[in-house]
Amino acid sequence: MATSRAGAAIDALLSILRAAPALADVAVVDGPPTQNLTKGKRLYVGWSPASDQAADITQSFASAGARRRDEDFSIACYLEVRSGDTDMAAKRASAFTLLAAVEDVLRATDSAPEAPTLDGTVLWSQLTAAGLDQDQTQNGALAGIPFTVTCRARI
């Protein structure tokens, strides 16, 4: 019996995001960055500079008898858009376009009915929170969005 569905959900989310046509030009990274990636668009799953944990998990008994448990968890994610220029408005617009693509990936469609269940790993998932980080560095403008994907599972 699984003690948590968080790991399987993170794996499924990575797979779904990597297969999404709208994110084809984005580096989808599992966990924290380990190197200076050269791609100007990056999406991290299980890591955010705004969070100390890859996922926050809570559980409770699903019913009397303590045979099943309900699990709620949130997956920390982060996306960023950067380039060598200082056009912050363009980076911000591009970052929110990527966030919209992530949100669309998590919605059920005729071709992807299991999207909100992360291919059956959870009962449901949804994008529930986001923020906006902006920075001008010696390497140009950066717009970043820390966001949270919240899930519910039955174990």
Side-chain angles (χ1 to χ4, degrees):
M1 182 179 303
T3 190
S4 176
R5 298 300 296 158
I10 290 171
D11 291 343
L13 180 58
L14 281 160
S15 177
I16 289 168
L17 292 171
R18 287 175 175 155
L23 299 171
D25 66 337
V26 177
V28 178
V29 181
D30 184 357
T34 58
Q35 60 187 353
N36 185 7
L37 300 174
T38 57
K39 230 173 190 175
K41 296 177 183 177
R42 292 177 281 219
L43 194 162
Y44 300 93
V45 176
W47 178 80
S48 171
S51 177
D52 294 330
Q53 297 178 322
D56 291 315
I57 303 167
T58 60
Q59 295 182 359
S60 60
F61 289 117
S63 61
R67 293 175 188 253
R68 302 297 302 248
R69 295 180 64 76
D70 285 327
E71 179 179 49
D72 295 306
F73 56 92
S74 57
I75 303 169
C77 299
Y78 181 73
L79 65 83
E80 68 181 22
V81 177
R82 61 173 69 218
S83 70
D85 64 50
T86 58
D87 186 351
M88 185 60 72
K91 303 308 166 290
R92 185 173 48 247
S94 182
F96 278 107
T97 297
L98 292 180
L99 185 66
V102 170
E103 190 170 16
D104 285 346
V105 165
L106 293 174
R107 291 184 182 165
T109 64
D110 289 341
S111 62
E114 294 293 318
T117 67
L118 300 179
D119 291 334
T121 61
V122 297
L123 297 173
W124 54 259
S125 67
Q126 62 181 333
L127 195 151
T128 54
L132 174 64
D133 298 333
Q134 299 183 137
D135 196 12
Q136 289 283 5
T137 71
Q138 64 185 14
N139 297 321
L142 174 137
I145 299 179
F147 64 97
T148 303
V149 174
T150 301
C151 304
R152 162 140 305 180
R154 172 86 31 102
I155 55 174

